Amino acid sequence: MEDLKERTYKIENAFLSPYACKSQNAKPRDRQEEPCCMRTEFQRDRDRIIYCKAFRRLKNKTQVFFSPEGDHYITRLTHTLDVAQIARSIARTLALNEDLTEAIALGHDLGHTPFGHSGERILNKLAPGGFKHNEQSVRVVEVLEKDGGGLNLTPEVRDGILNHPKSYTASTLEGQCVSIADRVAYINHDLEDAIRAGILRADDVPKSVTSVLGNSSRERINTAVLSVYRNSVGKNQVKMSGREEEASEKLRAFMFERVYLSQTAKGEEQKAERMLTAMYEYFIKNADKLPQTYFQLTEKYGAEQAVCDYLSSMTDRYALYTFNSLFVPRGWQFIDEE
């Protein structure tokens, strides 16, 4: 039977940029596997991420607003899909590898905590070695998935996941697409959520931002993608031009001042901190009460790491359930005697 992925190789060689990461040049996995006759290695990675448990849990993890009641607020899953869409749009305009870009985007937040970035800041204070969600995302795909077997992803995908924050630099242009897309996505959809929640009004956004980026998410995302294209096409880089980058940073600073670090957000963060701290201290003292999968990790990685693995894996709902189970008294049930 014809090796169908050879078609993909031919298409990539014909149409992709010389700076793209070609699928046929994918680096070896840590554990050698029988190749697939249909899918490239990056396509296989994308499929593995979509079908893993950590990806499914993203639907019940906070993006900004804790356990929102409305159906239309952004969750960690919808954020991830948003990032994948924007990153693929950037990769397509620059003739980069969309399959690699999508795999990185879909996996970039697998290690995120419950309660959004508040949860990350809290675990970073609690854990002796600190906690970073990008490093935890790599740990999820290397160690935690498949009961300790990991997903055995390609080095290029793991590199992009690790290096998606702004302060890092991915080794592939596809990874750099995801880094930019992540920032474009969360600033814009978090702004829409804040307006939906009544925390902001659309006309609160500084004119110095809207005059450059636009007045709607659609306009701002289009502006960002076009800016990256104009500044990066035919070059060994993926960067937004200076004018749009400056306006984006102004919007990000505005969001931190008015939303992320607002009194409303900080008040909820204090509640989350009390919950996560209590559970962290409980499981450190009672590691045998961890689920078996995580208890087994204590022997190799220590209790602190295993507890962080468990807490960071929780959805918002499961964190609340676990806290209540451990610390909130249950009412007695009386049986009438005849």
Side-chain angles (χ1 to χ4, degrees):
M1 186 175 89
E2 179 188 7
D3 192 334
L4 297 178
K5 69 173 177 286
E6 289 294 333
R7 296 182 187 176
T8 304
Y9 292 162
K10 291 177 182 178
I11 292 171
E12 289 183 358
N13 288 329
F15 295 106
L16 290 191
S17 162
Y19 303 112
C21 185
K22 308 285 180 64
S23 298
Q24 67 188 108
N25 298 327
K27 296 176 182 177
R29 302 177 188 274
D30 287 350
R31 299 188 301 276
Q32 188 175 359
E33 299 179 2
E34 187 71 23
C36 177
C37 66
M38 294 185 294
R39 297 170 298 162
T40 69
E41 298 306 310
F42 299 144
Q43 290 169 347
R44 294 176 80 186
D45 283 359
R46 172 198 177 275
D47 295 349
R48 291 179 187 192
I49 290 169
I50 280 184
Y51 288 108
C52 77
K53 292 179 180 178
F55 186 81
R56 294 176 216 157
R57 291 195 296 267
L58 295 177
K59 69 180 183 293
N60 288 317
K61 288 195 175 191
T62 284
Q63 174 64 21
V64 174
F65 299 100
F66 294 0
S67 300
E69 295 296 329
D71 292 331
H72 300 122
Y73 288 96
I74 294 292
T75 66
R76 189 62 58 182
L77 177 60
T78 50
H79 162 73
T80 294
L81 298 176
D82 200 1
V83 173
Q85 173 63 26
I86 296 171
R88 285 193 62 164
S89 296
I90 296 172
R92 189 177 301 117
T93 67
L94 299 177
L96 300 176
N97 192 321
E98 290 186 50
D99 292 326
L100 172 57
T101 303
E102 185 176 28
I104 295 169
L106 294 174
H108 83 284
D109 270 355
L110 291 179
H112 230 303
T113 61
F115 311 124
H117 286 285
S118 295
E120 181 175 13
R121 287 191 292 269
I122 294 161
L123 279 188
N124 188 48
K125 289 196 295 184
L126 292 172
F131 181 93
K132 295 181 179 179
H133 80 274
N134 57 315
E135 295 177 359
Q136 188 67 18
S137 294
V138 175
R139 182 167 169 79
V140 167
V141 300
E142 289 184 341
V143 176
L144 300 181
E145 276 295 322
K146 291 193 172 181
D147 297 324
L151 300 180
N152 196 30
L153 302 182
T154 56
E156 291 89 347
V157 172
R158 287 180 286 153
D159 173 85
I161 291 173
L162 176 65
N163 293 299
H164 76 268
K166 184 180 180 182
S167 56
Y168 295 67
T169 303
S171 63
T172 64
L173 297 191
E174 289 80 2
Q176 294 172 32
C177 288
V178 174
S179 181
I180 289 178
D182 184 35
R183 299 195 297 277
V184 171
Y186 80 70
I187 289 174
N188 281 286
H189 60 51
D190 291 354
L191 174 58
E192 293 299 312
D193 270 359
I195 293 172
R196 185 176 294 111
I199 296 173
L200 294 175
R201 297 179 304 177
D203 57 8
D204 289 333
V205 181
K207 298 299 182 185
S208 60
V209 170
T210 57
S211 63
V212 175
L213 300 181
N215 291 295
S216 67
S217 288
R218 179 182 62 82
E219 291 176 354
R220 289 188 290 268
I221 292 171
N222 284 343
T223 297
V225 173
L226 283 172
S227 175
V228 173
Y229 168 73
R230 290 168 180 157
N231 200 42
S232 308
V233 64
K235 301 177 184 178
N236 190 19
Q237 68 173 28
V238 179
K239 293 178 63 178
M240 200 180 295
S241 65
R243 182 167 177 260
E244 287 79 16
E245 174 71 17
E246 181 181 357
S248 295
E249 285 302 308
K250 286 183 180 178
L251 179 56
R252 183 173 181 270
F254 168 78
M255 289 295 293
F256 267 92
E257 178 185 355
R258 296 291 299 273
V259 179
Y260 303 140
L261 301 180
S262 67
Q263 288 301 313
T264 299
K266 296 300 287 185
E268 294 302 303
E269 182 171 324
Q270 290 171 5
K271 298 175 186 177
E273 182 164 7
R274 287 193 290 270
M275 287 178 52
L276 290 176
T277 300
M279 289 191 290
Y280 180 85
E281 293 174 348
Y282 174 84
F283 285 116
I284 289 294
K285 295 176 182 176
N286 303 276
D288 59 315
K289 302 297 184 183
L290 288 167
Q292 187 63 25
T293 300
Y294 293 95
F295 178 64
Q296 291 173 349
L297 296 172
T298 61
E299 183 174 346
K300 184 174 182 179
Y301 299 103
E304 291 88 355
Q305 180 63 64
V307 172
C308 280
D309 289 338
Y310 182 44
L311 295 182
S312 63
S313 75
M314 293 180 174
T315 62
D316 292 25
R317 295 190 307 181
Y318 187 69
L320 289 167
Y321 167 80
T322 303
F323 178 84
N324 287 334
S325 298
L326 293 174
F327 302 110
V328 177
R330 299 179 183 179
W332 286 96
Q333 291 184 344
F334 294 96
I335 301 175
D336 291 335
E337 295 182 2
E338 294 183 0

